[in-house]
Every structure is written in C-alpha cells, then in structure tokens.
Amino acid sequence: IEALACHRPCPPPSTSSKNQRENLQQPILPSIECLAEDLDLVLQNIHPANVSLEWCLVEAEKLIAILMQKLESNNEKEMHGNRSDIIRAISRSYICLLEGWGRYAVAGVVDDGGNSDLVRSKKKDGTKYHRIREDAGSCANDRLFIDMTPVQKKEYAIERACELLGRLEALENVEPARAIKIPSSSYASVILALSISEDSSKLQQSEVILNSMLSRYGLHSTNKTTSILNSALSSSLLNVADVATGFSGCIAAYAKKNDAPNGEKILNQMIELYDDGRLGNAFAPEARAFGTSIATWAKYNAANIFRAEKILSELERVAENEAAKNNNFKLRATPYNIVIQMIVKSSSNTKTRSYYSNERRSFEANAIEADRSNENIVYAMHLLDHMEYVMKVEPDAFTYSILLHAWVQQSRPGNEQAADHAEELLRRRLHSAGEPESNSTRSRKSSKVAEGDVWPNVKHYSSVLKAHAKTKSAGGARKALALLSEMERVYSNAKFIEEVDGKSEKKDAAKPDLVCYSIVIDAFAHSRLPEASDVALRLLRALETKYKGGDKSMKPNTRVYTAVILSLVNSPYSGNESQSGKQSSNAQKAWSILVQMKKNGAKPNSFTYNYIINCASQASSHDEEDQRIAFDIAIRAFQELRKASQSEEYSNTEGGCHPDSFTYAFMLKACTNLLPFGSLRTKVISQTFRECCRTGHLNEAVLHRLRKSVSTEQFYDMIKLPLPKYLDYRSEREIMTHDLPVSWSRKHGVERDQSQKGGYGDSVWKKGVKMDFRTDYGVK
C-alpha cells in the first residue's frame, strides 16, 4: 500500500532500482517495481509505462479493503497475526493513502499522455471520461472514477483524503492502537487538497483541520504547554515545514472564497506562532502565504490598500529576521507587484472627467485634475524605490509593466506628465540593465524575461509611444518620434545573439515593429504640427522600404495609411511633388495614398474615405480649378465608399466600409466649401441629405452642417417642417433629430455602439473625427 500510494513516474531506464532505493528515505518505496524486486516477485500483466497514480490508488484501496476484512474477521487463523499489528498496518496505510489522494487531488488529475487509467472513448452523450479500465476493478462501493469528469475526480480525491484522516483519528481511540501517531504531513496534505476544492463548503473545513493539527501538537494559542510539542518534535511526528504549509493552504482556501478577513486572521495566527518562538529557528512562514493574503484583499476590496501594505510590512519584517538568522528566506517581487497594482487600480477607479466630456474647462482645471490622478501612481513609484533600493528585491517584468500601463492609462491631453513619467520608467529599466549604447554587453539573464524576449521589449516601448500619442500634443508627437529613432539606432547597433529558423538572426534589443510606427504616425496626425504630414509621409515611405527589402512584418496596413491621410487633414502637405509644374493639393495627395494602399493590398475602410472627403473639403485655394479637382476627389471617394458597402470584398474590412453619419456631414461640408452658390449646389446638398435620411444616418452633426449650407427656407423645406412664423436664432437652433422622423436616424445609435465595441480597438479614431467637427463648428 505504501509503495502504491507513494508512486511516482517511472525513472529513466539508466537508473537502477538499487540507486533509487539508496536515494530515497525509507520506509517510503519509490515504486512497486522496486518492491517486487525486494520480495523476489515477478509482476505479471503490468507494464511500467501503463502504471499511473490513478491505477496505484485503486489497487491500494483494494488492499485496504483486505486489511479491513482481516480486522473484522473473528477467525484468528484468518488474521495471520495479532490484532494490534493489523491496526498499526491499517493506520500506516491510511497515512500513506490519504497523502496519496491529497497529492493526486493537487497535481494528479491531468491527461498524462495515455498513461492514465481512463478510457478515452466518448459515450453517446458526449462525456469524454467514461470509466476506469476493467482490470483496475472498483473500490469504495464502485464509485471511484466511474463516469466522472476530472473535476469530479478531484473532488472525490479530496473527500477520500478527509475521510481517511477522520478514520485515522478515530482509530487512535481503539484500545490496541494507542501507540498510533499521526504525522503533520497528513494534515498538511489534506489542507492543501481542500484549498483547491471547487466546493465552497469544503473550504471552511481547512481551518477546522488546521486547528486540529495545532491542538494535537500543542501549538494552539490557548495551549502554552511545551511537553506535547517537545514530544512531537523529538519523535519526528512534527515537521515545522508542514505547519507552514498548513497555514498557507488554509489561507489559500479562504482566498478561493475571496474571504480576505478570515484569510488575514489565519495569517496573523501564523505570525503570532512565529513570534512566539516555540518552534525554534527552523520555523518560518512561507512567503506565498503573505502574497496570497495580499491578493485576496486586492480581489475583496481594492480600496483597502492599507491592509495590504500592513501585510507587506509584516513580510518584510519576517524576511529581515530570517536574514539575521542566515536562513534561506528570499523576498520576491510578486507581493510588491500585487500592492502596486492595488495602488494603481485605486487611481484608475477614480471618477475623473474625460478631456472630451467638457472642452470648455480651462487648461488649469485639467492640469489640477491630472496632478490628482497622478498622485497614486507616484506613490506606487515610491514603493518601487523602496522595493529595489531598500529591500534589495529585483523588480521583474511585471512590475514595470503595471506601472507603464498605469501611466499610459493616465496619459491624455492636459496630462502630458504621465507620458513623461512612463518614459522615465522605461529609461530607468534601461539604466539598471545597461545603457542603450551598451545593450550588447548586457547579460542574457538581466536582459531576458521569462518568455525569452528581450527586456524592455517592443511592447514596453510601444506603451511609452502610445502614452505620448494620447496627449495629442505637438510635444508628445516629437517625443514619440525621438524614442522611435532611438529604438532604430539601438537595434541597428545591437549584438546578434541567436539565429531564428536558420535564416534570420535575433538581436539583443527591441526591434521597432509596425505598431510602433503606426503609433508615431497617429501621434503626428493628431498633433496639428505644420510638419505633421511631412513626417507621416516619411515614416510611411520608411515602412514601405522595409517591406520591399524583405521584412514582411513591416507591411503598412489600413490603419497606417488612414493615419497618414488624417495628417493631411490636420496639416497641409509642403512637399515638392508637382503635377504639370503645379504643386499637388492635399486632396490629390490623399487620393494618391489611397491608390498606393490599394496597390499594396491594404483595403480602405470608412475612416479612410471619410478622411479623404474631409481633406478635400478643406481645400484652401480659391482657384476654381483647384476647387473643382478637390470636389471631384470628394465625389469619387463618396461613390467608391457606397460601392464598397455593397461588395463582399469589403465585408470583413477592419472598421467597416460603408457610409456613415460622418460621411454625409463631410460631403455637406465639401459642397459648402467647394461649390459656388447656385442651383447646382442646392441640388447636390439636397440629394446628399435625402440619401442620408433614407439610409438612416442622420445625427446632430449632419443637421448642423445642413443648417450652415443652405438658407433658412431651404433648410425647413429639406427637413419637411413648416417654416416658423417668426424666425430667430433661438427657434432655428431648437430643431434637433428627435423632432424629425425616427427612421432618418435609425442607424446612428448602432454606429455609436459599433465604434465603442470594434474598429481599431481604441476609440481614438472616433475621437479624432469628433475633434475635426468641434474645430469646424467653433466649439473648441
């Protein structure tokens, strides 16, 4: 039974059974193969590759049943020994078997590559796990593993371990078995098994068993006598590591219930036992117990940061005490990461107004709000300093990622400091691992994260780039471009560290990818710098050059081309390209980019065409020929967009490819700015507005643009409302979409929902369009 319950995977063929026995502390045996060799037995119909822990536990249960039959027998001849020997054998078997079930519950319910006893054929009802092999027999009233899923098997293993512990305690009360002693490892095994149970009613039982263990060995706070404890320590029944494991398992059980108060109560009980000193210098709480308790508070109520910090300070005190004792107690970054994340979340949960929710607020008000929202993250940065420089705990990749993400979330127009803090954090990591210029001399250990990527990797750089881009400022765009240039320089000078697929080589530095370029182009598109379109076009050409040079990952996509077109909307192109001796207009350049993106296999979407129409509508030239060319481009873009909406080729285009409310608003804007007053202009505006109403895309922006494009009489005629008797500014402004037929604006709400759910995954594109409208309408 002991050999079966303590079964481990088969050792390598080169290791002899003799060496296995020598390397293992008796009386636990490494495998039933070694036991058979000791007893000079030949195993029949058993191949080592087919022996799993499930099979062994089933066979051990059979032998337990035989021992119980012998104990219950009244025939002395069948007992083959005295009753006391059989009871001791049963108790020892219970100890081994309950620890086996506990180990199986924690780590044994897995698909072991075909070595499991489960039949893989599916039942008619689709159940994956049918039953145990016929040669495994049955145990525990034929209930074990029969038609059980992995979760059910785990729960059964937990129940069986608890049942065996209860029987073992009851067996001590039997007269011949008073010499039976339960080791602390049995309690620890059951507590760990209970901590992973899916049944919440079982999780509470872990504290009951923990208290039972403490009472048995004289460790309970109410029992200060040392005779029981000294006896347990001298007889090797009590292992201080099992006590620490029991506390950790009980805390983990409460963590599974998200019961932070009770989890902290158990933690304080462990700390009290540690401070009491009864277990000597060998006893030390497990660091994972503190981390689990902190994580539970993070889930229970993230606002209780002070509790998490108190637990962290206790952990630091224990670490300092153990260091003074020269014990191997190492602090890691995980508990600090959890506390830092709690602090950061408390900042992100603060209800701060969006920059876009009230544009009339002063810059000073936005700056004050930014300082308030930055306070918590600055406090988290102080904790990072304490962690790294005071406690000498090396931050890991997750530590920096939490703080980088927090600064990126806080970055917005009016809070440029957040982006600056993000870049400072990135450079801090670069400095701790070696200056960027000396990246090639960094050790692989310090420059690598767990997944084998360089650290800082391209995702961390892109996070900082995004933080600068979210400020939508000229300074943010320039800083993003400077960081991208630094990435290119460092990568070009970096050292080759390995080959990939025998063809390309990997360098010990982060390689700027398409996302990095896309973010920088987007930053300039929203910066409204005079040179924004020139920089965006140069970056686009750089991407196309890299792609043509063989780097397929740098192929410009729809978002990149669309952002370049947006840069033409917000800043004039000052290039030297000309057509027939005349410099190309922004509209012509935008159209040429559309042609180029189609040629390169990138499909335009609604944003692409909308920006082209908007770019054409902003033609600054008063030359009639230039205005005619710009309006022709707007019409072609509008017609192509309508055609694409009916084509299956563009049905799966990212962001969609169909006219929307912005399309019609931009078209009305183009008619107003590019067509001369007259019947043709009124006719085109009327047709555009009727098409907008027919398709259900009317919104306040379209209605406002229509009001600016035609006279008052024409406006009321187009919206099919009677002309008011007394016209004034106020009565004209009162006309809203809810005053008009619902069918005219039936798709406007759907568009708004879709823009929040999909598109590019970030509402920055919608906000970019809205900013154009606010600028045009004089709101901002």
Side-chain angles (χ1 to χ4, degrees):
I1 292 173
E2 183 175 350
L4 290 167
C6 300
H7 173 74
R8 295 292 192 277
C10 295
S14 59
T15 305
S16 64
S17 59
K18 180 179 179 181
N19 291 335
Q20 295 176 44
R21 288 192 299 273
E22 291 176 353
N23 295 331
L24 192 73
Q25 293 181 356
Q26 292 294 335
I28 297 177
L29 298 172
S31 66
I32 56 176
E33 290 84 2
C34 297
L35 178 61
E37 183 177 330
D38 288 341
L39 300 178
D40 196 21
L41 298 175
V42 178
L43 298 178
Q44 297 180 353
N45 301 324
I46 297 178
H47 192 276
N50 294 329
V51 176
S52 66
L53 181 58
E54 292 178 3
W55 184 90
C56 291
L57 292 174
V58 170
E59 294 299 319
E61 288 281 1
K62 290 180 182 179
L63 298 181
I64 284 281
I66 294 176
L67 281 177
M68 294 302 297
Q69 290 175 1
K70 290 181 177 294
L71 181 64
E72 295 170 359
S73 174
N74 294 323
N75 189 344
E76 292 292 334
K77 294 182 180 180
E78 293 183 5
M79 292 180 67
H80 301 292
N82 59 59
R83 182 180 181 85
S84 179
D85 289 340
I86 294 181
I87 291 178
R88 281 196 294 270
I90 291 175
S91 64
R92 179 60 187 171
S93 300
Y94 280 168
I95 292 171
C96 296
L97 194 56
L98 77 83
E99 293 183 12
W101 281 120
R103 189 173 72 255
Y104 175 78
V106 174
V109 190
V110 295
D111 186 357
D112 52 5
N115 295 336
S116 173
D117 299 321
L118 296 175
V119 177
R120 298 303 184 204
S121 59
K122 290 186 177 181
K123 296 171 63 177
K124 292 182 179 180
D125 60 357
T127 305
K128 182 177 179 180
Y129 299 94
H130 185 193
R131 60 181 297 110
I132 232 160
R133 292 196 186 116
E134 296 300 329
D135 60 350
S138 61
C139 60
N141 299 325
D142 292 330
R143 199 167 74 86
L144 181 64
F145 296 140
I146 296 179
D147 295 330
M148 286 187 181
T149 64
V151 174
Q152 292 172 333
K153 289 163 58 178
K154 180 181 72 173
E155 295 300 326
Y156 176 78
I158 296 171
E159 288 179 7
R160 184 60 176 161
C162 294
E163 179 186 355
L164 290 172
L165 180 61
R167 289 189 179 186
L168 192 59
E169 290 179 333
L171 201 59
E172 281 188 312
N173 299 324
V174 180
E175 182 67 23
R178 288 187 174 179
I180 296 173
K181 300 299 180 183
I182 305 175
S184 57
S185 58
S186 299
Y187 289 96
S189 297
V190 176
I191 293 173
L192 282 180
L194 286 169
S195 68
I196 64 168
S197 175
E198 303 296 333
D199 187 356
S200 59
S201 62
K202 295 179 184 176
L203 298 176
Q204 188 74 26
Q205 192 176 355
S206 61
E207 184 178 358
V208 176
I209 296 177
L210 176 65
N211 289 330
S212 176
M213 178 179 69
L214 296 177
S215 299
R216 172 176 294 275
Y217 303 118
L219 295 173
H220 209 277
S221 58
T222 58
N223 185 3
K224 298 296 183 179
T225 58
T226 59
S227 57
I228 300 177
L229 175 61
N230 293 334
S231 176
L233 289 173
S234 61
S235 62
S236 300
L237 286 175
L238 177 62
N239 187 340
V240 293
D242 294 330
V243 178
T245 301
F247 277 108
S248 299
C250 189
I251 294 171
Y254 280 118
K256 200 170 182 66
K257 294 175 61 177
N258 289 333
D259 190 349
N262 278 323
E264 187 177 359
K265 181 191 70 174
I266 301 298
L267 180 68
N268 292 333
Q269 189 177 352
M270 178 176 62
I271 295 173
E272 181 182 352
L273 182 62
Y274 171 74
D275 293 336
D276 185 79
R278 282 182 289 169
L279 288 175
N281 292 335
F283 174 69
E286 293 182 345
R288 63 172 176 169
F290 292 87
T292 303
S293 184
I294 294 172
T296 310
W297 273 116
K299 294 180 181 179
Y300 182 80
N301 187 355
N304 289 328
I305 301 176
F306 68 95
R307 288 185 174 272
E309 290 180 329
K310 177 188 173 186
I311 297 171
L312 184 61
S313 64
E314 287 290 337
L315 175 60
E316 291 178 345
R317 183 178 67 85
V318 171
E320 291 173 351
N321 291 341
E322 293 302 308
K325 301 175 185 177
N326 294 323
N327 289 341
N328 185 18
F329 189 92
K330 187 175 181 181
L331 271 179
R332 300 189 182 276
T334 301
Y336 290 94
N337 292 343
I338 300 171
V339 176
I340 290 174
Q341 193 167 34
M342 289 179 68
I343 298 172
V344 164
K345 281 187 175 181
S346 67
S347 174
S348 61
N349 290 338
T350 304
K351 298 297 184 180
T352 57
R353 292 185 180 181
S354 171
Y355 173 77
Y356 303 101
S357 62
N358 188 355
E359 291 77 10
R360 296 185 180 182
R361 300 174 66 212
S362 64
F363 177 82
E364 291 78 8
N366 283 323
I368 293 173
E369 181 181 296
D371 291 338
R372 290 174 179 172
S373 60
N374 291 346
E375 285 179 359
N376 287 344
I377 310 180
V378 171
Y379 180 66
M381 294 287 291
H382 291 327
L383 181 57
L384 173 64
D385 295 337
H386 171 77
M387 163 190 175
E388 186 172 7
Y389 301 128
V390 178
M391 299 305 299
K392 307 300 180 183
V393 178
E394 183 179 359
D396 56 16
F398 191 53
T399 313
Y400 286 96
S401 298
I402 295 171
L403 292 169
L404 275 177
H405 179 71
W407 286 124
V408 172
Q409 291 296 104
Q410 288 297 326
S411 178
R412 60 182 180 273
N415 190 12
E416 288 80 5
Q417 293 178 355
D420 295 335
H421 282 302
E423 186 166 351
E424 288 174 6
L425 186 64
L426 179 69
R427 297 194 180 282
R428 170 176 173 168
R429 173 58 193 176
L430 288 171
H431 178 74
S432 64
E435 292 296 331
E437 290 77 10
S438 60
N439 265 354
S440 59
T441 62
R442 281 186 287 164
S443 65
R444 290 289 298 277
K445 183 177 180 180
S446 64
S447 63
K448 293 285 178 177
V449 290
E451 61 270 19
D453 197 3
V454 293
W455 164 244
N457 58 29
V458 66
K459 293 182 180 179
H460 302 109
Y461 277 101
S462 63
S463 295
V464 178
L465 291 173
K466 185 177 181 181
H468 285 307
K470 288 179 68 176
T471 64
K472 299 187 185 299
S473 63
R478 292 192 176 106
K479 291 173 183 177
L481 180 61
L483 185 58
L484 178 64
S485 301
E486 181 180 326
M487 287 182 67
E488 287 284 8
R489 175 175 55 80
V490 171
Y491 183 75
S492 62
N493 297 330
K495 180 181 178 182
F496 292 101
I497 57 176
E498 61 180 327
E499 287 190 0
V500 181
D501 300 330
K503 298 178 181 179
S504 59
E505 293 177 308
K506 186 176 182 180
K507 292 186 176 183
D508 189 18
K511 175 188 175 184
D513 61 1
L514 182 64
V515 175
C516 294
Y517 275 85
S518 176
I519 293 173
V520 177
I521 292 174
D522 188 63
F524 273 90
H526 291 90
S527 68
R528 300 183 182 274
L529 282 168
E531 69 274 15
S533 58
D534 295 338
V535 175
L537 285 167
R538 286 202 302 268
L539 293 174
L540 176 61
R541 294 192 189 101
L543 284 176
E544 291 177 340
T545 302
K546 289 175 179 289
Y547 174 67
K548 292 177 182 177
D551 191 349
K552 302 301 181 183
S553 65
M554 302 299 285
K555 180 181 179 181
N557 56 18
T558 302
R559 177 167 188 166
V560 171
Y561 284 109
T562 304
V564 175
I565 296 174
L566 178 61
S567 70
L568 292 169
V569 176
N570 295 331
S571 66
Y573 174 66
S574 59
N576 55 8
E577 297 184 18
S578 60
Q579 182 179 7
S580 303
K582 191 175 182 180
Q583 184 171 318
S584 301
S585 64
N586 276 17
Q588 290 173 312
K589 189 60 186 175
W591 188 261
S592 66
I593 294 173
L594 176 65
V595 173
Q596 184 65 25
M597 73 179 293
K598 289 180 179 179
K599 183 179 178 181
N600 292 339
K603 294 182 180 180
N605 57 18
S606 299
F607 298 98
T608 312
Y609 286 109
N610 288 346
Y611 291 153
I612 292 176
I613 298 172
N614 193 20
C615 184
S617 68
Q618 297 184 170
S620 57
S621 174
H622 296 286
D623 185 76
E624 292 185 1
E625 180 64 19
D626 291 342
Q627 291 182 348
R628 185 195 64 78
I629 293 174
F631 187 73
D632 180 62
I633 290 174
I635 288 294
R636 279 192 288 169
F638 180 61
Q639 290 175 345
E640 279 198 14
L641 180 58
R642 293 179 61 192
K643 184 178 179 181
S645 64
Q646 302 173 359
S647 174
E648 295 182 358
E649 180 182 357
Y650 292 88
S651 58
N652 296 325
T653 303
E654 183 183 16
C657 193
H658 52 77
D660 54 23
S661 300
F662 298 107
T663 308
Y664 293 102
F666 287 142
M667 275 303 302
L668 292 175
K669 179 181 176 181
C671 294
T672 304
N673 295 343
L674 302 177
L675 293 179
F677 286 98
S679 59
L680 177 62
R681 170 175 162 169
T682 304
K683 181 179 179 181
V684 175
I685 291 174
S686 177
Q687 289 178 347
T688 304
F689 181 72
R690 285 201 303 267
E691 177 70 13
C692 176
C693 296
R694 185 187 66 81
T695 56
H697 291 104
L698 180 66
N699 66 358
E700 304 300 336
V702 176
L703 201 59
H704 179 69
R705 179 57 62 181
L706 177 67
R707 189 181 294 112
K708 292 182 63 176
S709 302
V710 296
S711 65
T712 303
E713 292 78 7
Q714 292 171 335
F715 173 73
Y716 278 93
D717 181 59
M718 291 181 185
I719 63 176
K720 299 181 180 179
L721 287 179
L723 188 66
K725 197 171 195 181
Y726 300 99
L727 289 176
D728 57 21
Y729 177 78
R730 182 177 178 181
S731 64
E732 186 179 351
R733 293 283 292 180
E734 287 179 351
I735 301 300
M736 306 293 286
T737 54
H738 59 76
D739 299 320
L740 304 175
V742 177
S743 60
W744 289 7
S745 56
R746 63 183 181 275
K747 291 187 179 180
H748 175 56
V750 176
E751 289 174 1
R752 185 169 58 251
D753 295 339
Q754 290 176 346
S755 67
Q756 294 172 356
K757 293 178 182 178
Y760 293 105
D762 190 347
S763 57
V764 65
W765 293 92
K766 275 292 185 188
K767 290 176 181 176
V769 177
K770 291 180 181 178
M771 285 180 66
D772 295 339
F773 269 107
R774 290 176 179 132
T775 303
D776 297 336
Y777 300 159
V779 176
K780 183 177 178 182

